[in-house]
Amino acid sequence: WAFATAGVAARTLFESIAPEARRQVGEFSPQNMANTVWAFATAGVAAPTLFETIASEAQRRIAEFNSQDIANVAWAFACVGWDRRQIFLELGAVAVENLLYLNEAQKSQLYLVALYVQIEWPDLNFPLSSNLQSFKAAYA
């Protein structure tokens, strides 16, 4: 997380920690999961098996996620071009339930996620579609 936040190119580091992170995902808090996928996506490091493991765990424990966790995970999966729509549907549904708790940065992230979902699956009834205009204002 710190390397990605600082913009430090550390591809080798990310690639070397991905297998161990994958083994420990079951012990991660929702924030740990969110920070992990956010860091990998921000660093531009592909880690498909890690993302698959986090997607499965996140879907299993989605009720534990707060608004920041939801926005960060959804944004990270969109950034890596995740091609399995179920995670987006579930995160979108939980985001709708937490609309009052979303700050401007989270709305901005979810706006980008909604655009990604619309491009990838134009016929999908994405839970956040009706909120795009208010999210767009946060993005601008």
Side-chain angles (χ1 to χ4, degrees):
W1 173 85
F3 282 89
T5 300
V8 174
R11 177 171 296 283
T12 304
L13 173 65
F14 278 94
E15 290 171 348
S16 66
I17 65 171
E20 185 59 30
R22 184 174 163 262
R23 283 189 284 280
Q24 294 186 28
V25 165
E27 299 171 31
F28 283 11
S29 69
Q31 182 180 358
N32 294 146
M33 287 185 262
N35 287 351
T36 300
V37 293
W38 180 91
F40 275 79
T42 299
V45 177
T49 56
L50 174 60
F51 272 68
E52 181 66 46
T53 303
I54 289 178
S56 295
E57 188 69 12
Q59 287 173 268
R60 192 175 70 76
R61 296 174 46 200
I62 196 81
E64 298 174 33
F65 281 57
N66 66 29
S67 58
Q68 183 172 354
D69 302 330
I70 294 162
N72 284 348
V73 169
W75 178 87
F77 276 88
C79 281
V80 300
W82 197 249
D83 62 356
R84 293 169 196 87
R85 65 187 189 176
Q86 192 60 36
I87 187 78
F88 295 106
L89 287 171
E90 292 183 26
L91 289 166
V94 175
V96 167
E97 294 171 8
N98 288 280
L99 284 175
L100 295 175
Y101 305 105
L102 296 172
N103 65 31
E104 295 302 299
Q106 294 157 0
K107 288 178 183 177
S108 178
Q109 285 177 298
L110 291 170
Y111 175 69
L112 294 174
V113 171
L115 293 178
Y116 171 76
V117 169
Q118 282 185 339
I119 291 167
E120 289 299 309
W121 304 285
D123 298 328
L124 184 66
N125 185 16
F126 186 55
L128 291 173
S129 294
S130 62
N131 301 93
L132 277 183
Q133 289 306 314
S134 66
F135 288 7
K136 182 179 181 180
Y139 182 74

